[in-house]
Amino acid sequence: MSTRRALVTGGAGFLGSHLCDALLGEGYRVLAADNLLTGRLENVAHLRNDSRFEFTEKDVCHPADWGEVDYVFHFASPASPVDYAKHGIATLRVGSYGTFEALETARRCGAKFMMASTSECYGDPLVHPQPESYWGHVNPVGPRSVYDEAKRFSEAVTMAYRRYHNLDTRIVRIFNTYGPRMQVHDGRVIPNFMWQALRGEALTVYGDGSQTRSFCYVSDEVDGILRLAKSDEHEPVNVGNPSEFTILECARKVIAVTGSRSQIKFETLPPDDPKQRRPDISRARRVLGWEPKVDLESGLVLSLEYFRNAVPIQEISS
Ligand code: NAD
Ligand code: UDP
């Protein structure tokens, strides 16, 4: 049995659960800690009988003895704008107290550490595409600040643990990632559009749909995260797909892939919604040899079965 053991906070979430799978595939024993605020046990149900996997339902803002670990992946945090608007204080807490606790665990164990940061650190960016050297354009008191500033604080405290305690840290700046296991009702654009298209409802495009995003399929994202975990890169690294789409183009792609007859309707744009977003992935290419492989259309096709099955189930339980 492998002696390497990883702690994944947020391990029952969308990305955290895929990361647990990947780490088990790399030979780690994995402890997933999650308070199920926005995650679901179903995401790790397939690991129930794997003796190398443990799940514990806990709020990672509180001190805990997780036993000895070799790697801490701090992925706990609401991530959808709807979720973090609903759980604003909890988002700030997990980005501050939660990050301190995760770092302290790594420090106590002499473990490596990675935090899941975000393209939201760039806010509504004035530089396009966004390289890691860009410091961002963030409203510190607007409705998105509970997430953006929590993540910026998390990055700061992670770098401080590196500087002051010589901790072996990594920061991944994740750009919009999608795929199976996303909650159908978490309000993010791909689940919303998939759910609406599969039910024949109108797709809700906010604003005029000219704002852009660059969507990364989950297998590419996890591949980038693992490569960063194995690397010696301590500066933040963007991991996202640089192919950029307007939200209106995205809606049309979802309609095409699902074969839906849904129409498109336009609704109010939420405040501070970034107008454009695309990662500059030069650093990831150079230091990780990483390149996304799955384009948006293929990723939507790969996600279709999950959303087809999830729509009625989550509909009934919601
Ligand atoms: P998610 O909501 O599916 O997963 C987050 C998980 O964290 C959930 O299972 C939730 O229950 C758990 N959690 C929240 N607060 C907690 C706490 N105090 N204690 C224990 N568990 C807690 O979201 P996701 O998309 O999987 O995001 C995972 C991480 O990646 C987050 O840190 C997010 O900020 C980051 N990220 C994701 C994306 C994306 O596009 N998916 C983009 C940028 C950054
Ligand atoms: N969006 C939309 N319709 C929806 C959900 C989201 O037009 O039903 C837009 C949203 O305003 C934003 C983009 O899609 O411009 C991406 O939103 P999401 O919540 O997925 O993530 P964000 O990148 O804003 O964190």
Side-chain angles (χ1 to χ4, degrees), residues 13-15 34-35 37-39 59-60 75 147 151 177 188:
F14 159 55
L15 271 179
D34 199 301
N35 65 354
L37 180 67
T38 57
D59 182 339
V60 299
F75 276 58
Y147 184 66
K151 288 293 182 180
T177 301
R188 286 185 272 194

Side-chain angles (χ1 to χ4, degrees), residues 33 59 61 83 99 121 124 133 149 155 158 166 168 234 254 268:
D59 182 339
C61 295
D83 283 344
T99 305
C121 286
D124 188 5
S133 55
E149 295 296 8
E155 288 200 4
T158 298
N166 206 24
D168 195 356
H234 302 295
V254 170
T268 312

Side-chain angles (χ1 to χ4, degrees), residues 264-278:
I264 288 173
K265 67 174 177 185
F266 294 90
E267 295 191 348
T268 312
L269 188 69
D272 294 343
D273 197 287
K275 285 180 270 309
Q276 52 182 359
R277 182 180 293 156
R278 171 155 57 106

